[in-house]
Amino acid sequence: MAEHSEESVLTEEIQQKPRGHDSSSSLSSDSDAEKPGPSPSAKVAPYRLFSRERPVHQVLGSGRIADVVLWRNKKISAGVLSGATAIWALFELVGYHLLTLICQGLMLSLLVLFLWSKAYTLINKSPPRIPEVNISEEQAIEVAFNMRNEMNRASAVLREIALGQDLKKFLAVIAVLWILSTVGSSVNFLTSVYTTFMTLLTVPVLYEKYEDKIDASAEKAMTAIKQQSAVFDAKVVSMIRRGPLKAKKH
């Protein structure tokens, strides 16, 4: 009897061992299932030109100017582009001067309004209502405040560059000024303004349309520029910084 009871106890222990193993494996699988894996939403943000985080329309102010620049209303944008082209053609092709164009435009407008109001009085009707244009004090103060901030910011940047605190920014400003001087020597001021205006009406809308492709190309270009900049820092900037130290030692 004692031997039979010992055998039964051994068989029960043998039967319980795989159950315990199964339960532990199930617990481990449950714990593995409960562990938070990498969420699909936590993806690396794509590279955006100028490190922007908002759409192009919001960057441009989300107003009427942004609608015109991005051709949200094609009629208005086409009208603005046609008007700018007509003004450029008058000055460059026809040979008009700015003061002559302004005076003749005002003369024509005043003549039309004068004859229009007189014609209405002759037929016993009220003259046309010409809206009054008044610039409020708040608008004038806001414009002056914004101009002051921009001028102070530009002055601070120029002072930082002049003091030699940022060599890269100094070289970039010199390069931009040299390009502008080269363009200005070959193209007159009006053509430069017209070219800038055409650029504002074409580049943003093309960038918004082909945003992904342009950002991918810009990322590759920025990577190459950073590599070249690191090489430039190691070879040139470090030598410039070591020069004053050697002079002090001697």
Side-chain angles (χ1 to χ4, degrees):
M1 293 292 290
E3 293 178 357
H4 180 70
S5 61
E6 289 178 359
E7 291 178 358
S8 63
V9 170
L10 289 173
T11 54
E12 288 179 359
E13 289 179 355
I14 293 170
Q15 290 176 358
Q16 286 177 359
K17 283 183 180 179
R19 291 179 184 176
H21 181 70
D22 294 339
S23 62
S24 62
S25 62
S26 63
L27 288 174
S28 62
S29 62
D30 292 339
S31 62
D32 292 338
E34 290 177 357
K35 288 182 181 180
S39 59
S41 60
K43 295 180 180 179
V44 179
Y47 176 83
R48 294 302 180 191
L49 199 61
F50 304 114
S51 301
R52 61 180 182 84
E53 298 178 355
R54 298 178 297 169
V56 181
H57 191 264
Q58 293 183 7
V59 172
L60 295 176
S62 302
R64 294 182 179 178
I65 296 177
D67 293 339
V68 172
V69 171
L70 295 177
W71 292 72
R72 293 289 191 269
N73 192 334
K74 295 183 179 180
K75 293 182 179 180
I76 296 177
S77 300
V80 171
L81 183 61
S82 301
T85 305
I87 292 173
W88 175 79
L90 283 174
F91 284 113
E92 288 296 319
L93 303 180
V94 180
Y96 258 85
H97 296 284
L98 179 61
L99 184 60
T100 303
L101 181 63
I102 292 174
C103 292
Q104 290 184 357
L106 289 174
M107 287 169 56
L108 182 62
S109 301
L110 290 175
L111 180 62
V112 170
L113 292 174
F114 179 79
L115 294 176
W116 191 7
S117 60
K118 288 298 181 182
Y120 268 77
T121 55
L122 290 176
I123 58 178
N124 296 324
K125 287 187 177 181
S126 59
R129 295 181 180 180
I130 300 175
E132 295 183 0
V133 179
N134 293 322
I135 300 175
S136 64
E137 185 177 357
E138 295 178 355
Q139 293 176 346
I141 292 174
E142 184 179 358
V143 171
F145 181 76
N146 293 331
M147 289 180 63
R148 182 181 69 87
N149 289 338
E150 295 298 328
M151 291 176 66
N152 289 337
R153 187 180 304 172
S155 176
V157 172
L158 292 176
R159 181 178 181 276
E160 181 182 357
I161 294 171
L163 292 176
Q165 297 178 0
D166 194 341
L167 182 61
K168 294 180 182 179
K169 192 177 293 184
F170 170 76
L171 295 176
V173 171
I174 292 297
V176 170
L177 292 176
W178 179 77
I179 292 171
L180 290 177
S181 65
T182 305
V183 172
S185 62
S186 57
V187 180
N188 59 14
F189 179 73
L190 181 62
T191 303
S192 302
V193 172
Y194 177 70
T195 304
T196 304
F197 190 79
M198 289 286 293
T199 303
L200 290 175
L201 284 179
T202 52
V203 172
V205 66
L206 290 176
Y207 172 71
E208 187 183 36
K209 186 176 181 180
Y210 303 103
E211 181 177 356
D212 296 333
K213 296 180 180 179
I214 295 174
D215 286 339
S217 301
E219 184 178 7
K220 295 179 181 178
M222 288 301 298
T223 303
I225 291 172
K226 288 180 180 179
Q227 292 176 355
Q228 296 298 324
S229 177
V231 174
F232 180 79
D233 287 342
K235 293 183 178 180
V236 180
V237 179
S238 60
M239 294 176 62
I240 294 174
R241 291 175 180 173
R242 290 173 186 172
L245 295 176
K246 292 181 180 180
K248 287 181 180 180
K249 288 180 181 180
H250 293 294

